[in-house]
Amino acid sequence: MTTTWARSRAAAAGVVVGLVLLAVGALLGRPDVAVLGAAPLVAGVRDWHRRPSTGPVVRLEASDVQPAAGTLRADVVVESPSGVLVGVRRGARSLARAWVVVDGTRRLPLVVRTVRTGPQELAFVEAQGVGPGAASVSEPSPGVSRSALVLPAPRPLGDLPLPPRLRGLTGAHESRRPGEGGGLRDVHPFSPGDRLRRIDWRVTARRAPDLHELYVRREHALAEAVVVLVVDSRDDVGPDPMTWRGSVPARAEEPTSLDLARQAAASAAQGFLDLGDRVGLDDLGAVRRPLPPGGGRRQLDRIRHALALTRPEGDPLRRLRPPQLPSGALVMLFSTFLDDEAAHVASVWRRAGHRVVAVDVLPTLRERQLGERERLAMRLIRMAREDRLADLADLDVELVTWRDSPQVALASLARRAQRRAGASR
């Protein structure tokens, strides 16, 4: 591809200085001054004639190296017959600018650290060729960019709350039904269907020394929990309230409420799936088919991928009724609770008998730079939000704030349900 090359300012200044020195040396009869001017003049003309005929080409390709959590990786491929000045920026922020020696093709690793999740632009790369001796520069090459899908990285959680009723014939939790695998339920006289290995000979010897009756130990059955994670994707607000109207973008180095919701939901999904429970996912801000409850490592991958694709889609839709849930499921709702929609569906689910855990994902706000009117508006918003959360607490909806040690609050809710194994509250 033929590209227009222009003489650089440094080379043009060198040629001008060389001509001036030659003229001064000739007029004054000073050969030493003329020789000083000949060197930059000859070098400038020689380097200008050696300028390349083609410009640089830059590409962004996927990297073969697996990126670590919170990082994005790609390879910057530069094709040029000479050196290249490469610039990398992300959004309005310049990340790097480097001089690269290229003779043909060169591949440069690009690593970008981010606290954001979901679909986003990895970087925007542009290049400008520099000829031999920096005597010429090419037109900037067309910039290239590459989008990436950043999956939320789950964080480890401790004990997690359980739904009021457990389901299934296997699992990691003790239920109220008789079966095998759980703790001692009672000691009962032997009846048809009991296994011989269940006979408790100590109790039998104490109660029936003549062995006219045998006693067996009965246990609680193990069961699994069904958990539905509901993410409210209608709000994606940052710590700065001045960015909420959308005219000013939030800082790229600060996670938004939707980033926190994705991380919180992924962490809860990993915690329940590690226990052998079944976890599903639904989006309160979009009318689409939910991800049904399932178990295993592949289910966690599906949930993380679906969470990464969750984003605000146009004007928020008002649902005529809350999403349908499996019977006896535990509901974890991740929202900012800046309006009544999330609180309304949480109250409907609680009245239907589900155990509902409301996870507040509003980031810590910065209000010092706000004006008087903005402070008043934030005060009204905060008062309405606190009233909303208080109404949920009155309905026995359990509240967890993700920005303030969520593992401690979740462990407290888990201990609250251990009063009676598998019992409804």
Side-chain angles (χ1 to χ4, degrees), residues 235-245 250-251 254-258 260 335-338 360-370 374-386 389 401 403-404:
D235 293 329
D236 189 12
V237 296
D240 187 1
M242 296 299 293
T243 64
W244 289 7
R245 70 185 110 182
R251 295 181 182 177
E254 294 177 340
T256 63
S257 62
L258 194 53
L260 298 179
S335 175
T336 59
F337 298 98
L338 291 175
D360 179 15
V361 294
L362 186 69
T364 304
L365 303 181
R366 298 195 312 270
E367 303 183 24
R368 290 181 297 177
Q369 74 280 7
L370 299 181
E374 289 80 7
R375 288 179 183 272
L376 178 59
M378 281 305 304
R379 182 179 178 185
L380 296 177
I381 293 175
R382 188 183 298 107
M383 292 173 59
R385 184 171 174 274
E386 291 175 354
L389 296 178
T401 304
R403 61 181 179 271
D404 299 330

Side-chain angles (χ1 to χ4, degrees), residues 154 270 273-274 295-304:
Q270 177 178 262
L273 291 173
D274 288 345
R297 179 67 188 181
R298 294 189 62 185
Q299 181 70 0
L300 178 60
D301 295 338
R302 296 189 194 99
I303 291 176
R304 292 181 63 197

Side-chain angles (χ1 to χ4, degrees), residues 1 14 38 45 62 99 112 137 155 175 203 221 223 254 261 273 282 312 360-361 363-364 377-378 387 390 411:
M1 181 180 65
V45 172
W99 162 262
V112 178
V137 292
R155 57 185 291 185
S175 67
V203 176
E254 294 177 340
L273 291 173
D282 203 348
D360 179 15
V361 294
T364 304
M378 281 305 304
D387 291 342

Side-chain angles (χ1 to χ4, degrees), residues 11-24:
V15 172
V16 171
V17 171
L19 289 174
V20 171
L21 291 176
L22 277 175
V24 171

Side-chain angles (χ1 to χ4, degrees), residues 148-172:
L149 184 65
V150 184
L151 303 181
R155 57 185 291 185
L157 299 176
D159 296 333
L160 296 170
L162 296 177
R165 286 184 296 170
L166 301 176
R167 305 174 60 181
L169 301 178
T170 183

